[in-house]
Amino acid sequence: MAEILGVNVDCVTMAQAIEKVELLIKQKKPSLVATANAEMLMIASHDLQLKNILNLAAMVVPDGAGTVWAAHYLGYDMPERVAGCDLVTNLLKKNYRAYFFGAAEGVAKKAAEKFPNVVGVRNGFFSKDDEPKIISDINSANADILLVGLGVPKQEKWIFDNLDKINVPVCIGVGGTFDVLAGNVKRAPEWMQRAKLEWLFRALLQPSRAGRLIALPKFVFKVHNSKKSK
Ligand code: UDP
């Protein structure tokens, strides 16, 4: 376990993360899995509720070059990056029954067309009054995995608040993964992923996200200070 800005991130490889999810599915008890990139860790550093939720999660995987860098910088042995999008794709290929909840109308549905094992979809725009119906739909689909793409920290808070009502063994916060799976947002080419530049690609492709880039240098600075104060 690597403690980064107060959040315990699991030092797992992709293979170990998949194994853990499979174990959780067998155990059947509803659980939260989070994918922590630098942006999420930055939000958690000033959102105590999110930080507590992450520290109660069944697993927090190191999503993103920034998280792996921070773990190494703080002296932890973090084997590799476990990108949320890749984790989800790997699990879907294993034919677990999955429910897609999140993104704009039609997006999760389009993403689901690629996977015969998706047993239900629901867009991510709803009011409090819609929630009982959403939860009963999810429960009647009898899924192994619930993917929730409402953005950070909304998705983690939603899962945590409803964990006692949801009858699904593994609930994963997946951010914009449905947009990627639907083909609406492109992932960086492999060479850019290998060069740890996926964040730059996203900012160039979606200029509306460029403002979020400032979170990265802030993250580096904050991790550096947290090391000094230890
Ligand atoms: N979204 C949603 N409901 C909301 C707010 C956002 O379903 O109330 C979706 C949005 O359409 C997008 C995803 O949540 O598909 C957030 O994507 P983003 O890439 O911003 O995720 P993050 O960076 O937070 O992981």
Side-chain angles (χ1 to χ4, degrees):
M1 201 80 95
E3 193 198 316
I4 306 170
L5 304 183
V7 175
N8 293 319
V9 181
D10 287 88
C11 300
V12 285
T13 60
M14 175 63 78
Q16 289 168 330
I18 293 171
E19 231 171 78
K20 173 81 182 186
V21 169
E22 296 190 304
L23 183 71
L24 293 168
I25 291 173
K26 281 201 195 101
Q27 288 173 342
K28 290 199 158 61
K29 186 171 167 270
S31 55
L32 163 68
V33 169
T35 71
N37 59 13
E39 236 179 299
M40 184 191 277
L41 293 171
M42 274 303 279
I43 296 171
S45 73
H46 48 76
D47 181 338
L48 199 62
Q49 195 192 359
L50 176 65
K51 189 190 284 183
N52 290 339
I53 289 173
L54 294 176
N55 286 334
L56 289 168
M59 176 166 63
V60 179
V61 302
D63 179 356
T67 305
V68 175
W69 167 81
H72 290 167
Y73 188 74
L74 296 170
Y76 299 100
D77 193 8
M78 183 68 81
E80 64 183 2
R81 169 183 179 212
V82 180
C85 196
D86 295 333
L87 176 64
V88 162
T89 312
N90 286 332
L91 289 166
L92 289 169
K93 282 191 197 144
K94 288 191 154 235
N95 281 328
Y96 287 114
R97 293 164 63 86
Y99 192 105
F100 286 6
F101 171 36
E105 175 62 33
V107 175
K109 193 160 170 261
K110 192 169 166 210
E113 282 166 10
K114 298 190 179 132
F115 304 97
N117 44 320
V118 177
V119 291
V121 294
R122 171 62 166 84
N123 74 65
F125 292 85
F126 56 92
S127 68
K128 205 79 201 136
D129 292 347
D130 300 325
E131 292 195 31
K133 166 91 171 75
I134 292 173
I135 291 170
S136 82
D137 272 1
I138 291 171
N139 287 343
S140 59
N142 199 17
D144 301 306
I145 301 172
L146 171 64
L147 303 181
V148 184
L150 305 176
V152 179
K154 190 170 179 184
Q155 59 200 23
E156 286 73 24
K157 291 182 180 177
W158 191 89
I159 294 172
F160 189 78
D161 287 347
N162 293 296
L163 216 47
D164 57 338
K165 297 181 211 108
I166 299 170
N167 213 349
V168 184
V170 179
C171 307
I172 312 179
V174 296
T177 296
F178 299 134
D179 300 283
V180 175
L181 293 180
N184 296 355
V185 174
K186 277 205 180 61
R187 269 198 91 184
E190 288 243 353
W191 71 266
M192 271 187 113
Q193 290 187 40
R194 275 200 304 274
K196 304 183 170 41
L197 290 174
E198 190 156 17
W199 53 274
L200 180 63
F201 180 84
R202 280 207 224 158
L204 293 173
L205 216 70
Q206 290 172 273
S208 58
R209 296 178 73 110
R212 296 193 190 181
L213 281 182
I214 192 69
L216 278 164
K218 277 191 188 161
F219 176 70
V220 170
F221 190 68
K222 214 159 184 173
V223 170
H224 174 69
N225 279 346
S226 76
K227 187 178 181 180
K228 270 200 317 200
S229 61
K230 274 210 166 163

